[in-house]
Amino acid sequence: MTDSSAPLPDPLPEPAGMREQYVTEGLAEAELPAGPMEQFARWFKEAVSAGDAVHEPNAMVVSTVDAEGRPSARTVLLKGFDERGFVFFTNYDSRKARELAGNAAVSLLFPWHAMARQVIVSGTAERVGREETVAYFRTRPHGSQLGAWASAQSSVLTSRDELDRAYADLAARYPEGEQVPVPPNWGGFRVTPQAVEFWQGRRNRLHDRLRYVRTPDGKGWDVERLSP
């Protein structure tokens, strides 16, 4: 148990005084392609090209809600995207997966702070096919494959030793070079977007916020500008 009465660092930084003036080029409607996935591809490529300035550009915050409407969020790595949506992988017994099973509504946030950019996706999640899961699992490093078996994600551990022992047992059973089977309770989700907002930081907090919203017939996209 942690001690909640422990003193805070001295001197304590003042969050209210922390400010960054975003001096960037803007984002105009005329610059946007017809659909959000092409625009996302443009920005994603630029984030990757930024090198160390944007650490893990495929890292995204995935937000879900439980049966009582209480939200939870965590950082997950994007593993693929195309016109169908955004794909990530997880343990199907994890908290996020259980919540998605009860409510498929999900939000994704790509926080590219170094570029004063965010991409915010609202949509619904569904499991990918087993073949797609197996194909991706085979690309994972050997240790990560073992980790998918060793971790009963989101469950309570008695100690770190419990997790390390589980991993060591698996490493002995499946040494490097031996194929690791895909866990039956592990796989991917594809998030089909209903709205995608592209946020570009601007001077004096007058940011550009352009949002694609899927048309009622589901065949196209409308673009709207949001006040910052």
Side-chain angles (χ1 to χ4, degrees), residues 53-75:
V54 180
H55 181 64
E56 290 192 309
N58 62 326
M60 59 185 183
V61 178
V62 177
S63 299
T64 56
V65 294
D66 66 13
E68 284 72 44
R70 294 172 297 196
S72 61
R74 73 289 291 162
T75 302

Side-chain angles (χ1 to χ4, degrees), residues 36-187:
M37 300 311 291
E38 184 179 347
Q39 176 63 23
F40 179 82
R42 291 178 182 178
W43 271 21
F44 184 73
K45 183 178 181 179
E46 291 175 11
V48 172
S49 298
D52 293 340
V54 180
H55 181 64
E56 290 192 309
N58 62 326
M60 59 185 183
V61 178
V62 177
S63 299
T64 56
V65 294
D66 66 13
E68 284 72 44
R70 294 172 297 196
S72 61
R74 73 289 291 162
T75 302
V76 175
L77 296 180
L78 175 73
K79 289 302 178 180
F81 67 92
D82 56 25
E83 289 301 321
R84 296 172 296 170
F86 303 84
V87 176
F88 66 91
F89 291 85
T90 188
N91 186 311
Y92 285 145
D93 295 326
S94 65
R95 177 177 178 176
K96 74 178 84 61
R98 295 196 309 269
E99 292 182 348
L100 288 173
N103 185 340
V106 62
S107 175
L108 311 177
L109 167 64
F110 294 86
W112 297 326
H113 301 303
M115 305 176 75
R117 286 178 175 175
Q118 302 179 74
V119 180
I120 306 162
V121 179
S122 299
T124 55
E126 64 177 353
R127 294 187 182 189
V128 305
R130 192 61 181 170
E131 289 185 2
E132 188 171 349
T133 286
V134 172
Y136 168 70
F137 189 81
R138 293 283 169 247
T139 70
R140 288 166 64 93
H142 183 74
S144 296
Q145 293 182 8
L146 296 178
W149 279 98
S151 172
Q153 196 174 89
S154 300
S155 64
V156 176
L157 288 166
T158 58
S159 68
R160 172 74 195 200
D161 288 343
E162 179 185 351
L163 182 63
D164 290 339
R165 285 195 303 270
Y167 183 89
D169 290 345
L170 287 159
R173 184 176 179 182
Y174 299 105
E176 188 75 43
E178 186 165 334
Q179 188 174 88
V180 180
V182 183
N185 62 335
W186 189 94

Side-chain angles (χ1 to χ4, degrees), residues 26-35 39 42 198 202 207-212 222-227:
L27 182 63
E29 289 86 341
E31 302 171 2
L32 297 180
Q39 176 63 23
R42 291 178 182 178
F198 294 88
R202 298 290 302 277
H207 314 306
D208 286 324
R209 298 176 60 189
L210 297 181
R211 181 171 64 185
Y212 288 85
D222 292 326
V223 176
E224 54 192 17
R225 177 175 286 272
L226 304 179
S227 174

